[in-house]
């Protein structure tokens, strides 16, 4: 996946996240929707991490295609 595809995936996931949140403004989400929202948030974190890895590798003169999606346990453990 190249940078443009990752950015496109980020946009799609963000749209999905916003749609879930807006569709239920003022009322709760079902358990399936909560699970989907959480999965979307994790996927977003993984995409952002992958994009950052690719950019860092490119800046360091390395092959950006060697970057890989990190597991949920890694990306969700980052401090912001």
């Amino acid at each position: 996946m190249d940078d443009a595809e990752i950015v496109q995936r980020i946009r799609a996931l963000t749209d999905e996240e916003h749609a879930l949140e807006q569709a239920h403004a003022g009322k709760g989400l079902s358990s399936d929707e909560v699970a989907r929202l959480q999965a979307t948030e994790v996927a977003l974190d993984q995409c952002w991490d992958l994009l950052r890895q690719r950019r860092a590798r490119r800046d360091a003169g390395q092959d950006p295609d060697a970057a890989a999606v990190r597991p949920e346990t890694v990306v969700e453990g980052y401090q912001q």
Side-chain angles (χ1 to χ4, degrees), residues 57-68:
R57 293 184 69 78
R58 190 175 295 111
D59 289 347
Q62 299 175 358
D63 180 11
D65 291 333

Side-chain angles (χ1 to χ4, degrees), residues 42 45 49 70-80:
V42 169
D45 290 343
D49 176 67
R70 293 181 182 158
E72 175 182 351
T73 54
V74 173
V75 298
E76 294 303 299
Y78 293 150
Q79 293 184 2
Q80 296 186 14

Side-chain angles (χ1 to χ4, degrees), residues 25-53:
K27 51 187 171 178
L29 298 171
S30 71
S31 60
D32 288 342
E33 291 165 328
V34 168
R36 183 62 199 148
L37 183 59
Q38 290 171 340
T40 301
E41 290 169 349
V42 169
L44 271 168
D45 290 343
Q46 288 173 315
C47 286
W48 278 114
D49 176 67
L50 180 58
L51 188 59
R52 287 184 193 104
Q53 284 183 64

